[in-house]
Amino acid sequence: MNNVTRINWIVLAYLAIWSWVDGFTMTAFVLTVLVSFEALWKPFVNSSLAVKLFGTETMAMLQQKNVTGRHQ
Protein backbone atom coordinates (compact mmCIF):
# COMPACT_ATOMS: atom_id res chain seq x y z
CA MET A 1 0.00 0.00 0.00
CA ASN A 2 1.55 3.28 -1.05
CA ASN A 3 1.40 6.51 0.95
CA VAL A 4 -1.41 8.09 -1.09
CA THR A 5 -3.63 5.04 -0.64
CA ARG A 6 -2.87 4.95 3.08
CA ILE A 7 -3.74 8.65 3.42
CA ASN A 8 -7.00 8.12 1.51
CA TRP A 9 -7.98 5.28 3.86
CA ILE A 10 -7.16 7.38 6.92
CA VAL A 11 -9.19 10.32 5.61
CA LEU A 12 -12.19 8.13 4.76
CA ALA A 13 -12.12 6.45 8.16
CA TYR A 14 -11.74 9.81 9.93
CA LEU A 15 -14.67 11.29 8.00
CA ALA A 16 -16.85 8.28 8.78
CA ILE A 17 -16.05 8.46 12.50
CA TRP A 18 -16.50 12.23 12.60
CA SER A 19 -19.85 11.94 10.83
CA TRP A 20 -21.12 9.36 13.33
CA VAL A 21 -19.99 11.47 16.30
CA ASP A 22 -21.38 14.72 14.91
CA GLY A 23 -24.77 13.27 14.00
CA PHE A 24 -24.62 13.16 10.21
CA THR A 25 -26.07 9.67 10.15
CA MET A 26 -26.79 9.38 6.42
CA THR A 27 -23.30 10.57 5.47
CA ALA A 28 -21.76 8.37 8.16
CA PHE A 29 -23.68 5.35 6.94
CA VAL A 30 -22.63 5.90 3.31
CA LEU A 31 -18.97 6.42 4.27
CA THR A 32 -19.01 3.35 6.50
CA VAL A 33 -20.50 1.21 3.73
CA LEU A 34 -17.92 2.58 1.28
CA VAL A 35 -14.99 1.87 3.59
CA SER A 36 -16.32 -1.59 4.44
CA PHE A 37 -16.95 -2.49 0.81
CA GLU A 38 -13.48 -1.37 -0.25
CA ALA A 39 -11.84 -3.22 2.64
CA LEU A 40 -13.68 -6.47 1.89
CA TRP A 41 -13.58 -6.34 -1.93
CA LYS A 42 -9.96 -7.37 -2.56
CA PRO A 43 -10.01 -10.43 -0.26
CA PHE A 44 -13.34 -11.45 -1.80
CA VAL A 45 -12.07 -11.17 -5.38
CA ASN A 46 -9.10 -13.38 -4.52
CA SER A 47 -11.24 -16.00 -2.75
CA SER A 48 -12.45 -19.32 -4.06
CA LEU A 49 -16.03 -18.31 -3.19
CA ALA A 50 -15.93 -15.57 -5.82
CA VAL A 51 -14.74 -18.07 -8.42
CA LYS A 52 -17.55 -20.45 -7.47
CA LEU A 53 -20.18 -17.69 -7.60
CA PHE A 54 -19.12 -15.88 -10.77
CA GLY A 55 -17.06 -18.46 -12.67
CA THR A 56 -13.43 -18.55 -13.68
CA GLU A 57 -13.90 -16.54 -16.89
CA THR A 58 -15.57 -13.62 -15.12
CA MET A 59 -12.96 -13.55 -12.37
CA ALA A 60 -10.11 -13.71 -14.88
CA MET A 61 -11.63 -10.79 -16.77
CA LEU A 62 -12.06 -8.84 -13.53
CA GLN A 63 -8.46 -9.51 -12.50
CA GLN A 64 -7.26 -8.34 -15.92
CA LYS A 65 -9.28 -5.12 -15.63
CA ASN A 66 -7.83 -4.50 -12.16
CA VAL A 67 -4.28 -4.94 -13.44
CA THR A 68 -4.71 -2.75 -16.53
CA GLY A 69 -6.65 -0.13 -14.56
CA ARG A 70 -3.73 0.42 -12.17
CA HIS A 71 -1.27 1.15 -14.95
CA GLN A 72 -3.29 3.85 -16.68
Side-chain angles (χ1 to χ4, degrees):
M1 182 183 301
N2 63 20
N3 287 337
V4 173
T5 305
R6 186 172 292 124
I7 290 170
N8 286 342
W9 277 103
I10 291 169
V11 168
L12 276 176
Y14 172 79
L15 287 174
I17 293 168
W18 178 80
S19 296
W20 281 115
V21 170
D22 210 32
F24 295 105
T25 55
M26 181 58 81
T27 304
F29 178 74
V30 170
L31 285 171
T32 303
V33 168
L34 175 69
V35 169
S36 301
F37 181 77
E38 287 292 327
L40 297 174
W41 178 249
K42 189 170 184 169
F44 172 72
V45 168
N46 296 328
S47 72
S48 61
L49 176 63
V51 174
K52 288 179 184 176
L53 289 174
F54 300 112
T56 55
E57 296 84 17
T58 304
M59 296 312 294
M61 183 178 68
L62 184 60
Q63 290 292 337
Q64 184 62 29
K65 284 185 178 183
N66 283 342
V67 169
T68 56
R70 290 186 196 131
H71 296 295
Q72 292 177 351

